[in-house]
């Protein structure tokens, strides 16, 4: 392979990656305003300046596109949680409150993740593997925080991590868009729930009982 051919292939791959990123960002924007059922590939194509057929070059169907958008949002959520856990004052309580606050501020992205999981849109082995990998990384970060509270045993620690993660996402799913409730009241209530959840997990893990 000539040097010129190598350069061309690299540039073509970079252009493909850039275009795929553009499509994902546009799809995320549309999904923040419309439901999955209302989403239309023609609207997406118009947004990015491509033909509808070109979109299918990058994503074979809407479900795979939605899954990729969801994974992008899930990776961002993991990054946020990782930053919280790495802070000097990290604890279950600070992690719960900072994570809840930041994810609720980006609620639409997280809603897409939740909806894709509920609707079973992760169908390819690659998408499922990445979903599971990100989830495991969440659990590992939570394990670190729980182990600060006391020796609950490896099996119990992971069980508490599952509970903590599920409860946090349940809070996010339940309260941010509660009808006729001012945002400051919602955030105050969410903060109280985060504190309560952290205290319950920490007291149980710290007691060393399962």
């Amino acid at each position: 392979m000539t040097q010129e051919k190598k350069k061309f292939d690299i540039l073509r791959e970079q252009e493909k990656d850039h275009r795929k990123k553009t499509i994902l960002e546009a799809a995320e924007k549309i999904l923040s305003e419309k439901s999955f059922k209302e989403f239309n590939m023609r609207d997406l194509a118009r947004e990015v300046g491509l033909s509808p057929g070109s979109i299918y070059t990058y994503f074979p169907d809407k479900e795979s596109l939605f899954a990729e958008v969801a994974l992008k949002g899930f990776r961002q959520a993991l990054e946020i949680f990782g930053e919280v856990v790495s802070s000097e004052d990290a604890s279950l309580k600070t992690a719960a409150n900072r994570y809840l606050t930041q994810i609720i501020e980006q609620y639409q992205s997280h809603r897409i993740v939740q909806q894709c999981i509920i609707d079973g849109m992760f169908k390819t082995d690659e998408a499922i593997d990445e979903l599971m990998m990100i989830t495991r990384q969440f659990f590992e970060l939570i394990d670190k925080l729980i182990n600060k509270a006391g020796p609950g045993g490896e099996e119990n620690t992971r069980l508490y991590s599952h509970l903590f993660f599920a409860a946090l996402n349940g809070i996010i799913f339940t309260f941010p868009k509660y009808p006729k409730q001012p945002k400051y009241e919602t955030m105050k209530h969410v903060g109280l729930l985060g504190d309560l959840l952290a205290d319950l997990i920490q007291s149980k893990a710290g007691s060393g009982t399962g």
Side-chain angles (χ1 to χ4, degrees):
M1 183 182 291
T2 65
Q3 196 67 25
E4 290 76 12
K5 180 70 163 58
K6 286 182 180 179
K7 285 183 179 179
F8 176 77
D9 288 344
I10 291 172
L11 288 172
R12 184 171 60 181
E13 198 62 32
Q14 288 175 343
E15 182 182 356
K16 183 178 179 181
D17 289 343
H18 175 72
R19 189 163 289 176
K20 185 175 181 179
K21 181 181 177 183
T22 301
I23 293 170
L24 286 172
E25 289 174 350
E28 186 175 8
K29 177 177 177 290
I30 293 171
L31 285 170
S32 71
E33 301 165 352
K34 295 183 177 183
S35 68
F36 287 157
K37 288 183 179 180
E38 294 171 326
F39 185 92
N40 190 299
M41 283 295 208
R42 286 188 174 82
D43 292 339
L44 175 60
R46 191 160 41 247
E47 182 77 22
V48 297
L50 294 173
S51 68
S54 297
I55 301 293
Y56 291 103
T57 302
Y58 300 90
F59 301 97
D61 49 47
K62 286 200 293 187
E63 286 75 17
S64 62
L65 172 62
F66 295 159
E68 190 64 37
V69 172
L71 287 171
K72 178 176 176 285
F74 206 20
R75 286 191 291 268
Q76 290 171 343
L78 177 64
E79 184 177 342
I80 289 170
F81 196 75
E83 289 173 357
V84 170
V85 172
S86 64
S87 64
E88 290 184 7
D89 62 340
S91 67
L92 283 173
K93 189 169 286 190
T94 59
N97 278 283
R98 291 179 189 171
Y99 180 75
L100 287 169
T101 299
Q102 293 188 56
I103 295 299
I104 288 172
E105 289 296 328
Q106 303 176 23
Y107 177 73
Q108 291 300 339
S109 293
H110 200 69
R111 177 187 65 80
I112 295 168
V113 178
Q114 291 174 321
Q115 197 63 52
C116 281
I117 293 173
I118 291 169
D119 290 351
M121 292 186 185
F122 297 97
K123 294 179 180 178
T124 67
D125 289 341
E126 183 179 359
I128 293 169
D129 287 347
E130 184 165 2
L131 176 67
M132 297 305 296
M133 180 188 70
I134 295 171
T135 305
R136 282 194 298 270
Q137 289 175 325
F138 263 110
F139 294 153
E140 288 165 5
L141 289 170
I142 301 169
D143 286 350
K144 291 180 181 179
L145 294 176
I146 291 175
N147 286 330
K148 283 185 176 182
E154 184 177 341
E155 183 178 345
N156 286 339
T157 296
R158 183 49 60 94
L159 194 61
Y160 296 141
S161 293
H162 286 187
L163 176 59
F164 187 74
F165 183 69
L168 282 181
N169 286 290
I171 292 169
I172 293 167
F173 186 74
T174 305
F175 292 101
K177 297 296 181 180
Y178 207 76
K180 296 183 180 179
Q181 182 149 309
K183 185 176 179 180
Y184 75 91
E185 288 187 9
T186 296
M187 297 311 298
K188 181 180 178 181
H189 186 62
V190 163
L192 290 172
L193 292 175
D195 287 348
L196 178 60
L197 172 64
D199 285 342
L200 288 171
I201 298 286
Q202 189 160 321
S203 63
K204 186 70 173 175
S207 71
T209 61

